[in-house]
Amino acid sequence: MIDISRELQVALNTGKVMLGYRKSLKAVIDGSAKLVILASNAPADVMNTVQYYAKLSNVPVYVFQGSSWDLGAAVRKPFKISTIAIIDPGESNILALVTQRTG
């Protein structure tokens, strides 16, 4: 089992990560995102829009099993985060979430 919080920290420090709905959606649309992480309590319109464009761009979506406060805490930010896009995982193993979920 992968420790999502730790892998997110490694990705933040060694790779490139977009925090927030607007930046993440832009990364999905332009095809630079490799993985999108959504908080389980993200607003329905945010969730539907991200999932729609992710499906069109063939970007996997992982639903984080925690609130947006928990997702913010996982990346050590003092605010809510509904959406995170992984552009470059760096030295992290965060993309294993995709294979774990599909395989």
Side-chain angles (χ1 to χ4, degrees):
M1 195 68 198
I2 185 171
D3 182 10
I4 299 167
S5 298
R6 190 180 79 72
E7 295 300 335
L8 276 170
Q9 282 299 310
V10 175
L12 276 168
N13 293 331
T14 63
K16 186 169 182 186
V17 176
M18 295 291 175
L19 302 177
Y21 168 68
R22 283 190 217 110
K23 287 184 179 180
S24 296
L25 187 60
K26 186 174 184 272
V28 168
I29 291 171
D30 71 21
S32 60
K34 292 187 173 62
L35 172 68
V36 176
I37 300 172
L38 282 167
S40 63
N41 70 334
D45 60 329
V46 167
M47 202 171 272
N48 292 336
T49 304
V50 169
Q51 288 175 336
Y52 173 76
Y53 285 107
K55 189 170 190 128
L56 289 178
S57 300
N58 290 324
V59 176
V61 176
Y62 177 81
V63 178
F64 181 74
Q65 297 303 311
S67 69
S68 50
W69 282 109
D70 297 333
L71 191 54
V75 293
R76 296 196 176 132
K77 300 293 179 189
F79 45 82
K80 298 190 284 186
I81 296 175
S82 65
T83 313
I84 296 176
I86 307 296
I87 308 300
D88 175 21
E91 297 173 10
S92 77
N93 197 20
I94 194 82
L95 296 181
L97 290 173
V98 178
T99 57
Q100 180 182 33
R101 205 170 145 227
T102 59

